[in-house]
Amino acid sequence: MKHIVTLKCPHCHSTNVIKNGIKTDGKQNYYCKHGCRKQFQSDYQYRGAEPWIKPLVKRALVCNVGVRDCAHIFGISKEYVLDSIGRLSCQQGEWQPPSAYYLSVQLDEFWTFIGEKGRKKWLIYAYSLDKREIIAHEWGGRDAQTGKHLLHKLKKLSVGTYYTDDWPSFAKVLPSERHVVGKENTTISMV
């Protein structure tokens, strides 16, 4: 009995793929002839190279999952996670919120470091609890300038109320009539 396996592109799920040479590790490389025109392999030597892993790691990092936890959960190296943080910091404005209106948005921040704790990177992000999604983020210092950059990304949206902790930079940049301060308002539950 012969089994026929139809290979699909992991990026666009097209079946219009062809063989495209052999990689240095001896594995077959494929090319998608459909819209995405990306190269891929049917199985990768390193889990971090899998196309579906990158967006999951990115989302976990933005949702405050630590470097070691990401590495453990996804079965990848800490170096891959740290590299993902570096790539996130270079991709400003990549996130496109799916909605134009949000009843309430929680703003919060967390820090991480690359190599040593003296090299802190701050991620300030806006999260919609009712829609359970990150709608904007900004990498930078823990200052009003980074808060302004985040607020600029949110200006395209209609936001009812901003909930924050007592970080003074939020009070400097948010409209006071729509700004509610309190740690109980910035607790995110991903369950």
Side-chain angles (χ1 to χ4, degrees):
M1 178 184 272
K2 206 179 212 183
H3 292 286
I4 298 174
V5 178
T6 304
L7 192 62
K8 290 185 179 180
C9 172
H11 304 283
C12 69
H13 306 292
S14 169
T15 56
N16 191 6
V17 297
I18 60 171
K19 290 182 178 182
N20 192 33
I22 304 290
K23 293 294 209 183
T24 55
D25 62 3
K27 297 197 178 201
Q28 180 66 55
N29 196 41
Y30 297 93
Y31 174 75
C32 178
K33 291 177 68 175
H34 195 253
C36 79
R37 301 198 179 281
K38 293 187 178 183
Q39 295 186 43
F40 64 95
Q41 297 174 35
S42 60
D43 63 326
Y44 289 85
Q45 183 175 358
Y46 300 106
R47 187 175 177 113
E50 297 276 357
W52 57 268
I53 202 89
K54 290 178 185 180
L56 292 179
V57 171
K58 187 186 298 185
R59 189 170 183 100
L61 287 169
V62 171
C63 292
N64 204 8
V65 177
V67 172
R68 288 186 185 97
D69 291 336
C70 275
H72 178 73
I73 290 167
F74 298 115
I76 55 179
S77 68
K78 287 186 287 186
E79 290 75 19
Y80 179 88
V81 179
L82 291 171
D83 182 59
S84 297
I85 292 171
R87 278 186 270 125
L88 269 175
S89 67
C90 296
Q91 296 172 348
Q92 300 294 331
E94 179 185 307
W95 295 72
Q96 296 297 323
S99 299
Y101 174 75
Y102 293 90
L103 182 61
S104 64
V105 170
Q106 299 177 13
L107 302 183
D108 208 357
E109 79 285 344
F110 76 89
W111 65 270
T112 188
F113 65 93
I114 299 174
E116 56 187 63
K117 286 190 179 180
R119 297 173 59 195
K120 285 183 183 176
K121 287 270 202 180
W122 284 91
L123 177 67
I124 315 299
Y125 60 94
Y127 180 78
S128 168
L129 189 60
D130 58 326
K131 298 193 179 180
R132 300 171 88 69
E133 59 196 15
I134 300 287
I135 59 174
H137 73 280
E138 184 69 30
W139 285 95
R142 193 172 191 223
D143 54 22
Q145 187 67 22
T146 307
K148 283 180 188 176
H149 287 299
L150 179 67
L151 190 60
H152 179 73
K153 290 179 180 180
L154 295 172
K155 285 205 184 240
K156 300 172 190 168
L157 307 174
S158 177
V159 176
T161 307
Y162 296 97
Y163 293 99
T164 71
D165 57 13
D166 199 20
W167 187 39
S169 295
F170 286 141
K172 290 178 185 175
V173 299
L174 293 173
S176 59
E177 67 278 0
R178 295 185 294 140
H179 181 202
V180 177
V181 176
K183 196 68 174 169
E184 67 277 358
N185 298 316
T186 57
T187 304
I188 295 177
S189 171
M190 296 295 175
V191 180

